Amino acid sequence: MFLRWIARLSALIVLAAGLTGCGYNEIQRGDEATKSAWSEVLNQYQRRADLIPNLVNTVKGFADQEKEVFIRVTEARSRVGQIQVNPSDPNSLKQFEQAQQEVGSALSRLLVVAENYPQLKSDANFRDLQAQLEGTENRITVARKRYIEAIQQYNVLVRQFPVNLTAKVFGYAPKPQFAVENER
């Protein structure tokens, strides 16, 4: 009886020691890091989307004849708002990327229009909005970089032995990467 008890205790100790290297907690940490990084990407894109109406209205006041540009910017912003992105779905990520590229292109066209109006460029409100937009674009770049790094770390983790065994048992697969090819 004493030998059975020692055998069970030994088995529990071996099992506990084996579980410390299984990587489950690291997978959880990595998964949460990717979710957090993705939230930051979305927050920065939302910040940009929130600046668009003010920027459009400011430019409109000086360049009312440029209606086509205003419509494109507004439509691109609207399309982004309609997309329900799931960062675990590569197709959803691709749609989101394309919509964000459309917004970026539309904003670029809007800023080109603004270059044609010297009095607009000297307007304090426009300069402030332009500075905020530039800062937001930088924040988007940093947030995307952090997300890409978090995904890379997570994907390496769930592919490493012996953590890959734990990942397979609990259904954790590598996540698709977010790439913004046309914004380079």
Side-chain angles (χ1 to χ4, degrees):
M1 176 129 179
F2 179 71
L3 288 177
R4 282 188 185 173
W5 184 80
I6 292 205
R8 286 183 184 167
L9 182 61
S10 298
L12 282 174
I13 290 172
V14 168
L15 181 63
L19 287 177
T20 61
C22 75
Y24 183 80
N25 291 335
E26 288 83 11
I27 293 171
Q28 298 307 307
R29 244 185 309 283
D31 189 45
E32 288 302 316
T34 63
K35 289 175 185 175
S36 175
W38 180 248
S39 292
E40 184 60 24
V41 169
L42 292 178
N43 286 340
Q44 296 309 323
Y45 276 125
Q46 184 60 50
R47 178 182 164 89
R48 178 173 74 173
D50 291 344
L51 286 172
I52 290 172
N54 294 335
L55 189 61
V56 167
N57 288 333
T58 301
V59 175
K60 244 187 211 181
F62 288 89
D64 198 33
Q65 63 272 23
E66 307 285 351
K67 289 187 188 217
E68 182 183 331
V69 174
F70 303 136
I71 290 170
R72 285 188 179 173
V73 171
T74 304
E75 287 175 349
R77 180 179 182 262
S78 175
R79 278 192 293 279
V80 166
Q82 294 171 356
I83 294 177
Q84 296 297 317
V85 65
N86 175 358
S88 298
D89 177 17
N91 292 330
S92 174
L93 267 179
K94 191 73 169 164
Q95 286 177 337
F96 183 74
E97 290 170 29
Q98 289 171 343
Q100 291 299 342
Q101 288 171 6
E102 287 177 27
V103 169
S105 295
L107 281 172
S108 294
R109 285 191 295 275
L110 180 66
L111 293 175
V112 166
V113 164
E115 289 294 318
N116 297 327
Y117 297 90
Q119 69 275 30
L120 172 62
K121 291 190 322 186
S122 66
D123 181 69
N125 191 29
F126 176 75
R127 285 194 322 261
D128 181 49
L129 287 168
Q130 192 174 21
Q132 286 183 44
L133 184 61
E134 289 170 1
T136 300
E137 292 297 332
N138 290 337
R139 288 176 182 187
I140 288 170
T141 301
V142 169
R144 283 192 314 230
K145 180 181 180 290
R146 288 179 181 158
Y147 177 69
I148 289 167
E149 289 170 352
I151 290 292
Q152 180 184 16
Q153 290 171 358
Y154 173 84
N155 286 347
V156 167
L157 177 67
V158 298
R159 289 181 177 140
Q160 284 178 325
F161 183 81
V163 178
N164 66 339
L165 301 174
T166 304
K168 286 181 184 185
V169 167
F170 289 102
Y172 289 99
K175 296 182 180 206
Q177 194 54 273
F178 181 65
V180 188
E181 294 143 12
N182 293 337
E183 288 190 29
R184 288 186 194 137

